[in-house]
Amino acid sequence: MPHKDLSNEQLLLAINRVDGLDALKALDGMSGQTSLYLKLVKNFAQDQHGRADELQALFQAKDWEVLKRRCHSLKSYSAYVGAYELNHLCADAEAKLNKGSVDQSVIEAICRLLDPLVEKLRQIVIDNETPSAKAEFNLLQFKKDLIALLPLLEQSDFGAEEALQKLMQITEGRDHHHTLQQIYSYVDDVEYEIAVEETRKLLESLV
Amino acid sequence: MALSDDVNSRPLVLLVDDEKVSLKILSDLLKHEVDIALAKNGLQALEKIKQNKPDLILMDVLMPGMDGFEVINILKADKAFEAIPVIFITGLNSAGEEERGLTLGAQDYIHKPFSPEVVKARVATQLKIVRQRLQLQRLSDELIEASEAKSRFLANMSHEIRTPLTSIIGYAEGITQGDFDNQFINKAVSIIAQNGQHLLNVVNEILDLSKIEANKLEIELLDMDLIALLGSIESLMMQQAQGKGLTFAIDYQFPLPSVINSDPTRLKQILLNLINNAIKFTEQGSVTVRVKTTADDQLAFCVEDTGIGLTPAQMDKLFADFTQVDSSVARKYGGTGLGLSIARSLANKLGGDISVESEAKVGSQFTVTTDMVMPEQSVWIEDREALEQKRARGAVTAKEEIPTLSGTVLLAEDHHDNRALFSQLLKRMGLDVTAVENGEQAVEQSMMEDFDLIFLDIQMPVMDGISAMKIIKSTAPGVPIVALTANAMTTEIEKYLAEGFTDHISKPIDRRVFISLVQHYFDAAVEGDFDLDENELDALKVQFVEGLVQGLEEIKQQLASDDWHNLGAQAHAIKGSAPMYGFDELGDIADRLEIAAKHNQPEQMRILAQALIDNIDSILTTH
C-alpha cells in the first residue's frame, strides 16, 4: 500500500525523530536494509498495539511466566527497531522475572515508554497509508496472482503474507475468500508446506 | 532439495523461533543463499525435521512448550538426525546456558539482536562443514566399495591363475614322469601351450589395468589391413564357437575401407574380448559380428549373440573394474572381470566407445566404435566380390612360414628355457646360433667371432644387456643389436633405442613378429614382392591351376609308391603358394601333410595325401 507523499527516506527520517528511537543505528545493525527495517517497524506498530495493557494485566494476575516471555520478546523486538531504552528496561524485567518476580514500577516504566512509542509509529507508518483502491475481481488475473504466490509459499517467503492479504481483499464476499483465509492462517502458523498444497488445489479447481 | 540428496544443490535451513520477527529477519537475511523452512515451536520443528531433513537448524532456546534444549536432545538421540548441525539463537546473555547448549551438541550460538554479517558467516561456515562431511562420506563409501570389489577380484584372480597353472604343471609333470603314451604327448603339450596362453592373457589384462590406472595405457597407430584382421579373428573364433555348437559369422556391411590407421593389436584385443564373452555366455544359437561405417564416419563392430542377456541392473555395472555382473556369473563362467573395462578404455583411446543393448534370456549386442582414418593406399571395398579378390591378393597364410636363412646369430639370455626356445627357433630358420647366459659372455663371444645379428636380454646377471651392447658396439659398430625386453612400456623402449640398440622385441615373443624381425635383418628384399596387380595375379592363378594338373599325377604316383620324401617336398611347395590364390583349404592340407612327412607318419600321410588329391580334383573341376 503506498504511503501518502512519503518515500522510504522520508519515512525513515520521520521514524528517527520519534522519542526513544534511534532508527539510523537500528538500520546500521541491519546492514542498511531499509525496506526490511520499515516492515519491522510496521509490524512492531501493529503487533505491540495494546501490549502495554496486556503487560499490566499479566502483572496484576502475577502470571510471571507469560510476563517473562512477553518481556523477552519485546526486548529483542525493541532492539531491532532501535528503541534501546525500552530494550534495556525489558532486559531488566526479564532478569528479575528469572529470579521469581518483578516490581510493578519496572513494568510501569516499560508501559510509559511503549504506549506513546507505538502510537507515534502507528501515525507514521499505518495511519498515513493511503488505502489503495480495491481492485475489481478478474478470474484470469486471480489465477495469475495465485501462480505468482506459489513460489513465495514454496520458499517460505514472508512476502506471501502481503500477497495473500491483497488477494483476500479482492475476493471479499466472493468464492474462494474462505479458502484464502485458510491458506493465510497456515502461513500465519508458518505451515508453508500445507499452504502450498492448498494453493495448488485451489488453482486446479480453477482450471 | 537438501545437500544430502545432491551435494551441489541449495542447502535447506530450518529456522525455529516462536517470535515471528526473528523468523522474518533471519529468512530475509538468508533466503538468497539457502532454501528456508520455518517452525514456531519445538514440536513443529521436529515434524519439519522429519519431513525435510534440513542441512542446518537455527533454533531459539526459549520457546513455549518444548524449548530448544529439549529439541536438540531428541535430535541427538536419533541416528537419522544426530548429524544435523544446530546453531542456537538466543536473547539471553548467559554463559551457563551457552555451556549447556554446546554440551548438548549445538555447534554455535547467535545472539539477538542479530548482526547480519555474523549470522551469514556462521551459517556459511556450518554449511561448508556439512558439504565437506557429505563429500567425505561419499568418498568413504566409494573406497569401501572399491576395496570390496578388489577383494572379490583377488579371489577371482586366484582362481583364474591357478586353474591354467594346474593344467600346465600337471601335464608337464605327466610328460616328465612318463604318464602319457607317445600319441598323447602332443596333445598334452598343446594343452600346456593353450593354458600358458590363457595365463598370459590373464596377466596381460592385469597389467593393462594397472596401466589404465596409471594413465599409461598406450596404443600404437599403424596402417593396418582391416579385412586381414577380421579374417584372422574369424579363424581364431570360428573353431571355438563351433565347438559349442554355435554358428559364427562376420557380416560385412559394405562399403568398408581396405586399410585403416589404427592399433591392430588393441583393436583385435577389444574384438576378441567381446566375441569371447559372446561365445562364453551363449549356449545355443549364434554369434555374429557386423562391421559397418557410421553416419559420423566411424567404424562400428557390433557383436551380437543369442545368449543369456543382461538385466538393466547388470548393464549398469558392466564396465566397472573387477566386476562380473554378479558372483554367480563369475563362478559359472569364470573370467577376470577386467576385460570390458579394459576394452572400453582401449576403445576410448582409439577415438570411440563401447555400448550395449541387451535383453535377459534373449541376447546381447555390444557395439564398439573407433575412428576411421583411411591412409592414402586405402580403397573402398564395395561388395562381397571385391572382398574375396582383396583376400586373394593379400599375403595371408593360414600357417606361418619359417623362412630359410643363412648367417650367424649371438643370443644372450639368462633364462635357460627362453634361451633354448629362441635358439631352436633361430636354428629352424637355418641360422648358426651361439647362445650365452649373460652380457659378459656375449662380449667375449663377439670379440672371438663376427655375428650378423645379436639378441641381448636387458636384465642379466654379471653384466646387463645395455652395458654389453655399449662394449660390443664400440668394437663392432655395424652389427644390428636387438634388445629382448620384458618391460614393454614405450618410455623404456625409447630409452633402450636411445642407448644404442638397433631394435627391440618384447617378451613373451610373438613367433611371427620374431620371425619377421629376424628375416628383416637377413633378407631386406622381402617387402614389395606381393604387390601384384589384378591381371598379373589372374595370370599367375591360371598358371598355378595348370601346374596342379601335373602335380596331381605326381602325388598319385608318390602315394602309390610310398615315396614319402618327395610327397613331403610336393606338399611343401603347394603349402607355400596355394593360399596366395585363395586356395586356403588346399594350403592347410598340404601343410599338415608336410608336418606328417617330417614326423615320419605314413598312416597320416596316406590319409592326407588322399585329401590333397580330392581337393585338387575339386579345384580342377571348378577352374
Side-chain angles (χ1 to χ4, degrees):
Chain A
M1 289 185 181
H3 291 83
K4 183 179 174 181
D5 294 331
L6 291 178
S7 66
N8 280 355
E9 197 180 326
Q10 285 170 320
L11 274 171
L12 204 56
L13 287 171
I15 290 166
N16 197 50
R17 282 197 287 268
V18 170
D19 275 342
L21 206 66
D22 187 347
L24 297 177
K25 184 178 174 184
L27 186 60
D28 209 35
M30 250 177 235
S31 301
Q33 295 189 58
T34 308
S35 57
L36 174 61
Y37 175 73
L38 291 174
K39 271 189 210 169
L40 288 178
V41 168
K42 183 180 170 184
N43 288 339
F44 181 87
Q46 284 171 330
D47 295 346
Q48 303 306 322
H49 182 56
R51 184 73 67 201
D53 291 340
E54 191 197 2
L55 292 177
Q56 298 275 24
L58 286 168
F59 179 83
Q60 294 303 326
K62 293 185 173 34
D63 192 345
W64 307 131
E65 202 46 51
V66 178
L67 183 58
K68 185 175 79 171
R69 280 210 297 274
R70 293 291 181 269
C71 290
H72 175 76
S73 291
L74 187 55
K75 179 187 76 174
S76 303
Y77 219 150
S78 53
Y80 289 131
V81 299
Y84 296 107
E85 194 181 342
L86 181 58
N87 164 261
H88 290 141
L89 286 173
C90 291
D92 185 41
E94 186 187 13
K96 286 183 162 89
L97 283 161
N98 272 333
K99 289 175 186 166
S101 66
V102 67
D103 286 344
Q104 189 174 13
S105 59
V106 175
I107 301 301
E108 282 176 352
I110 290 172
C111 294
R112 270 200 299 278
L113 273 182
L114 182 59
D115 250 342
L117 176 64
V118 169
E119 278 314 303
K120 201 71 190 158
L121 288 174
R122 284 179 69 82
Q123 283 169 21
I124 296 168
V125 298
I126 297 174
D127 296 346
N128 270 331
E129 280 175 355
T130 305
S132 50
K134 184 178 167 182
E136 283 299 313
F137 179 81
N138 175 280
L139 183 60
L140 192 61
Q141 186 59 44
F142 181 58
K143 283 188 205 173
K144 283 184 183 173
D145 288 341
L146 284 178
I147 291 169
L149 174 65
L150 263 176
L152 293 175
L153 294 173
E154 284 162 355
Q155 289 153 26
S156 304
D157 192 321
F158 281 100
E161 286 182 337
E162 200 175 316
L164 273 165
Q165 282 166 349
K166 283 183 188 167
L167 284 172
M168 286 194 298
Q169 201 189 33
I170 292 167
T171 58
E172 200 165 337
R174 291 180 167 275
D175 295 341
H176 315 305
H177 181 76
H178 178 65
T179 307
L180 285 170
Q181 280 181 320
Q182 275 186 321
I183 294 172
Y184 186 86
S185 75
Y186 286 127
V187 167
D188 197 42
D189 283 339
V190 298
E191 292 285 7
Y192 280 81
E193 295 83 3
I194 302 175
V196 166
E197 290 308 313
E198 294 303 315
T199 306
R200 284 195 183 129
K201 280 182 198 168
L202 176 56
L203 261 171
E204 277 164 25
S205 74
L206 297 175
V207 168
Chain B
M1 185 183 286
L3 288 178
S4 52
D5 298 310
D6 177 358
V7 77
N8 295 316
S9 66
R10 266 163 65 100
L12 176 64
V13 178
L14 174 65
L15 306 175
V16 186
D17 201 314
D18 60 317
E19 293 169 11
K20 224 173 183 183
V21 63
S22 297
L23 292 178
K24 284 185 182 177
I25 293 171
L26 288 171
S27 173
D28 209 74
L29 278 175
L30 300 173
K31 66 183 179 184
H32 301 293
E33 274 85 40
V34 304
D35 289 341
I36 302 283
L38 300 167
K40 275 166 72 174
N41 55 59
L43 273 175
Q44 196 181 27
L46 287 171
E47 269 172 34
K48 298 224 176 171
I49 290 165
K50 280 177 191 157
Q51 270 170 26
N52 303 310
K53 208 165 176 207
D55 298 299
L56 174 64
I57 302 169
L58 267 60
M59 182 158 60
D60 190 17
V61 173
L62 212 60
M63 290 185 290
M66 188 185 286
D67 66 15
F69 294 142
E70 281 180 76
V71 174
I72 199 172
N73 253 336
I74 292 170
L75 283 183
K76 294 303 174 188
D78 191 331
K79 276 204 175 313
F81 308 118
E82 64 180 346
I84 302 176
V86 174
I87 299 178
F88 275 129
I89 46 183
T90 180
L92 296 170
N93 190 9
S94 160
E97 183 212 75
E98 273 196 45
E99 187 194 341
R100 187 180 169 200
L102 294 168
T103 305
L104 287 173
Q107 254 62 32
D108 208 343
Y109 262 83
I110 295 175
H111 293 276
K112 297 177 188 177
F114 306 123
S115 156
E117 288 81 10
V118 169
V119 169
K120 286 182 181 179
R122 290 198 160 139
V123 165
T125 299
Q126 291 305 320
L127 289 175
K128 190 174 170 184
I129 293 169
V130 167
R131 270 201 184 87
Q132 285 170 345
R133 179 172 50 79
L134 285 170
Q135 283 165 350
L136 280 171
Q137 184 61 49
R138 288 216 166 92
L139 185 61
S140 168
D141 291 343
E142 282 169 15
L143 286 171
I144 290 170
E145 200 183 312
S147 173
E148 284 170 0
K150 280 197 177 172
S151 296
R152 287 195 298 272
F153 164 73
L154 285 171
N156 201 21
M157 277 307 100
S158 172
H159 173 265
E160 285 299 308
I161 290 171
R162 286 172 182 279
T163 302
L165 273 176
T166 303
S167 288
I168 291 167
I169 295 168
Y171 279 99
E173 280 180 346
I175 291 170
T176 55
Q177 296 298 321
D179 291 346
F180 308 128
D181 58 36
N182 283 347
Q183 267 187 313
F184 191 75
I185 284 178
N186 271 351
K187 184 166 171 59
V189 170
S190 173
I191 290 170
I192 290 171
Q194 278 170 24
N195 279 279
Q197 188 60 48
H198 175 71
L199 195 54
L200 177 61
N201 290 342
V202 170
V203 169
N204 280 339
E205 279 193 352
I206 297 168
L207 290 174
D208 273 347
L209 180 68
S210 71
K211 285 182 193 173
I212 289 170
E213 291 192 339
N215 202 25
K216 286 184 178 175
L217 187 69
E218 295 154 343
I219 57 169
E220 191 182 352
L221 295 176
L222 308 166
D223 292 343
M224 52 156 272
D225 187 325
L226 176 65
I227 305 305
L229 180 96
L230 291 168
S232 152
I233 288 171
E234 190 174 12
S235 303
L236 277 167
M237 295 285 101
M238 180 70 76
Q239 201 174 355
Q240 194 176 333
Q242 288 175 345
K244 275 187 87 173
L246 306 173
T247 55
F248 178 77
I250 297 190
D251 175 13
Y252 298 89
Q253 299 194 346
F254 303 103
L256 290 169
S258 61
V259 177
I260 58 169
N261 187 262
S262 186
D263 185 328
T265 306
R266 294 303 192 175
L267 182 55
K268 196 170 179 177
Q269 184 179 353
I270 296 168
L271 292 173
L272 287 178
N273 176 270
L274 296 182
I275 298 168
N276 262 321
N277 279 347
I279 293 172
K280 189 158 82 170
F281 292 110
T282 303
E283 298 302 328
Q284 59 184 28
S286 63
V287 174
T288 307
V289 182
R290 287 199 175 78
V291 187
K292 60 184 180 181
T293 57
T294 67
D296 48 359
D297 291 334
Q298 287 207 307
L299 263 180
F301 305 84
C302 309
V303 179
E304 198 176 302
D305 66 62
T306 55
I308 61 173
L310 298 157
T311 62
Q314 288 171 332
M315 279 201 276
D316 278 344
K317 39 183 186 167
L318 204 55
F319 292 96
D321 295 341
F322 319 116
T323 304
Q324 293 273 8
V325 290
D326 59 51
S327 56
S328 65
V329 166
R331 283 195 297 277
K332 186 176 175 191
Y333 293 100
T336 60
L338 291 176
L340 279 176
S341 166
I342 294 169
R344 174 169 258 179
S345 294
L346 289 171
N348 292 156
K349 287 266 179 186
L350 295 177
D353 201 359
I354 299 180
S355 60
V356 58
E357 289 171 35
S358 186
E359 195 181 329
K361 296 181 187 170
V362 174
S364 302
Q365 181 178 289
F366 283 78
T367 301
V368 57
T369 53
T370 69
D371 280 339
M372 184 176 67
V373 177
M374 289 175 66
E376 250 184 68
Q377 72 270 33
S378 184
V379 296
W380 286 103
I381 300 174
E382 299 288 348
D383 52 35
R384 192 86 208 176
E385 193 184 331
L387 177 78
E388 294 303 335
Q389 285 175 358
K390 166 87 181 60
R391 277 184 174 152
R393 273 198 296 279
V396 174
T397 54
K399 299 270 189 271
E400 67 199 17
E401 274 191 56
I402 297 192
T404 302
L405 305 169
S406 172
T408 56
V409 178
L410 173 62
L411 167 69
E413 163 63 69
D414 64 313
H415 193 273
H416 174 266
D417 292 336
N418 285 345
R419 191 167 65 245
L421 175 64
F422 299 153
S423 295
Q424 187 56 31
L425 205 45
L426 289 163
K427 284 173 184 170
R428 273 201 74 189
M429 286 190 256
L431 297 166
D432 290 328
V433 183
T434 302
V436 298
E437 293 176 2
N438 57 58
E440 188 178 87
Q441 290 175 0
V443 169
E444 285 165 4
Q445 287 298 324
S446 74
M447 287 178 179
M448 291 192 295
E449 188 182 339
D450 289 336
F451 292 97
D452 298 305
L453 179 63
I454 298 175
F455 284 98
L456 296 177
D457 188 19
I458 297 296
Q459 308 272 13
M460 288 187 287
V462 184
M463 183 187 288
D464 64 71
I466 294 176
S467 306
M469 177 271 294
K470 286 178 176 172
I471 297 171
I472 293 170
K473 272 191 90 96
S474 67
T475 56
V479 65
I481 306 178
V482 180
L484 292 170
T485 63
N487 188 336
M489 298 281 284
T490 303
T491 48
E492 293 298 310
I493 291 166
E494 282 170 357
K495 179 185 135 192
Y496 300 142
L497 296 175
E499 293 276 12
F501 280 98
T502 315
D503 209 333
H504 77 95
I505 187 162
S506 297
K507 292 189 286 187
I509 60 163
D510 181 308
R511 280 168 62 96
R512 290 178 207 199
V513 172
F514 183 75
I515 291 166
S516 174
L517 183 142
V518 172
Q519 194 170 8
H520 170 75
Y521 286 103
F522 280 93
D523 180 1
V526 171
E527 290 169 27
D529 286 354
F530 304 111
D531 203 9
L532 303 171
D533 70 26
E534 221 173 292
N535 290 332
E536 279 181 297
L537 186 67
D538 287 344
L540 285 170
K541 188 173 178 180
V542 166
Q543 213 173 319
F544 174 78
V545 172
E546 284 171 0
L548 281 179
V549 174
Q550 186 181 341
L552 180 62
E553 290 311 311
E554 286 172 3
I555 291 168
K556 285 178 179 173
Q557 281 170 19
Q558 285 151 4
L559 180 60
S561 59
D562 291 352
D563 185 356
W564 307 128
H565 173 77
N566 284 325
L567 191 53
Q570 185 84 264
H572 175 78
I574 293 174
K575 175 196 88 171
S577 48
M580 286 194 42
Y581 304 108
F583 302 123
D584 291 340
E585 197 181 343
L586 179 62
D588 183 47
I589 299 169
D591 178 51
R592 287 154 63 195
L593 180 55
E594 187 195 10
I595 292 170
K598 279 183 183 166
H599 292 144
N600 198 21
Q601 295 169 320
E603 286 308 315
Q604 271 288 73
M605 290 192 71
R606 266 186 237 286
I607 296 166
L608 288 167
Q610 189 56 55
L612 196 70
I613 291 167
D614 292 342
N615 194 272
I616 294 173
D617 269 334
S618 166
I619 290 170
L620 293 175
T621 305
T622 53
H623 285 77

